[in-house]
Amino acid sequence: MTAPDARSFDAIVVGGGLAGLAATQRMAASGLSVALVEKRGRLGGSSAMSGGWFALSGTAVQRRAGVEDADDVFLSDMVATGGGFADPSLLDALVARQAQAVAAIDRADAWTDELKVSAGMTIARAHLIRIGRLLAYLEREALAAGAVILVDHPAEELVMDGRRVAGIRSGRAVFAADAGVVLTTGGFSRSRELLDLFVPDQAGAMPYGGVGNTGDGIRLAWMLGAGLADIGHVAGTYGQHPDASDDEHELLTANYLGAILVNAHGERFTDESESYKVLGTAVLTQPSRMAFQIFDAGVRARSKPGVPLSDMERIEELGHLVSAPTLSELGHRLGMPPGALERTVERYNDGVAGRAADPFGRTGLVTGVGALAPVDSGPFYAYPAVTAMTSTYGGLSVAPDTSVTRIDGTRIEGLSAAGEVVGGFHGASYMTGTALTKALVFGIEAADRTAAA
Ligand SMILES: Cc1cc2nc3c(=O)[nH]c(=O)nc-3n(C[C@H](O)[C@H](O)[C@H](O)COP(=O)(O)OP(=O)(O)OC[C@H]3O[C@@H](n4cnc5c(N)ncnc54)[C@H](O)[C@@H]3O)c2cc1C
């Protein structure tokens, strides 16, 4: 038998999405020899497919828009969204270190002025960032600083030196990492096996996200006794067209602009201002596990072309928006029982006008914020959408410095993890934009920890 190929670096990063590229760039810039191994033929993972929304507080974009936000409000919104299940020490670290993310976005020149209130927020805090530009910048800078980036290199094993992680094996190649290994392999949204094991109630959700995201990092660290966090809360995101391709997501949240959700019988079933994760689980219990976003010309006029989650033009171009001059005709086109949609909308409009309480307690557009308007000006529209498992916000247990911890709370020496592979940040639900912010902030943190080792 021939000896395996062996190469030696200060650090190895496993997975080339936002967290991995941020970690690689940072370590290379600080003078470490670093190799990034990516399982697929190209970098990007879910990060490259994402909407590009980042949750950040106290930014120049907010100040220019006249939005007053504060770190403690950001923190308390995340605590509330997570239902008290998220790890407060991780949330504190996220807020305290967000300046690192802001600085990286500055350097990449990736800001836009798009700002909105989205799931889990009581204030406009979702910033639209040019994610492709940010990823390209990190890759370019990492290579310029001497990092080695290897695609088609899945990490298959963590190589140990006693109880310390000392490298990885990919095929026949062994990569030694003197200072440590950083796991940034994303989540397990493409692993039917792990989804069935951890969240069987989500079995009806459409598998989505980066095709390479099959939970490899979780499995690798699991073998070393790593703990898990938030796994039972993993939930799909409502708002994707059932025919969306792998390359282009079709997420729309017209409900946050004033649409209502109705099932195939033309009936409402939930408070549409809830987080799209909560809505995702509610929709899985409805007939055919789908719901229509129903709205009128007023909401249609609030579409933002090119802005993920609010771009109705794109969805119309794809032929996925159904419209009709009257509610009765729309209900007919959707195959609903005669009169059902009109009755549902009438009851909803009664609630908006204060003539009756909303049956599901809806008081605002999103998270109780934003004034509701009646659905009453034709033409009327319907967007049929399902729950997609875009991301799995549960994973390895880590300390705020990104070291992976065992089930007994002790640290696994030589092993850090950042991004979606990690749990503990979201608890029961998810605030829009916290996944990308977390990937960037803690990718950088993992690099600093490894460099200091
Ligand atoms: C359609 C969609 C829209 C989204 N929109 C938003 C949004 O607007 N805001 C937000 O905050 N979040 C959003 N998310 C979630 C967010 O994109 C992810 O949580 C985040 O990008 C994860 O970053 P990451 O670097 O941890 O993982 P990824 O970007 O997924 O990268 C992980 C990489 O690791 C690779 N990998 C896996 N296993 C191995 C292995 N064994 N060896 C080597 N490489 C491996 C994968 O192939 C992949 O390239 C969205 C997700 C989707 C799918």
Side-chain angles (χ1 to χ4, degrees), residues 15 18-19 38-39 46-47 51 53 155 185 212-213 216 420 430 433 435-436:
L18 179 59
E38 163 59 44
K39 154 189 196 176
S46 287
S47 304
W53 293 104
T185 50
N213 293 14
D216 298 10
E420 201 179 307
Y430 157 75
L436 288 172

Side-chain angles (χ1 to χ4, degrees), residues 321-394:
L321 204 55
V322 184
S323 68
T326 63
L327 279 171
S328 140
E329 205 170 320
L330 187 63
H332 176 70
R333 290 198 59 191
L334 300 176
M336 291 170 179
L341 186 58
E342 297 95 299
R343 277 193 300 277
T344 296
V345 169
E346 193 181 331
R347 277 194 77 190
Y348 176 73
N349 289 346
D350 281 347
V352 172
R355 290 188 290 271
D358 184 90
F360 302 97
R362 186 175 191 180
T363 57
L365 294 176
V366 50
T367 334
V369 180
L372 296 173
V375 178
D376 61 2
S377 56
F380 296 92
Y381 299 86
Y383 179 56
V386 297
T387 300
M389 188 56 74
T390 56
S391 19
T392 47
Y393 300 133

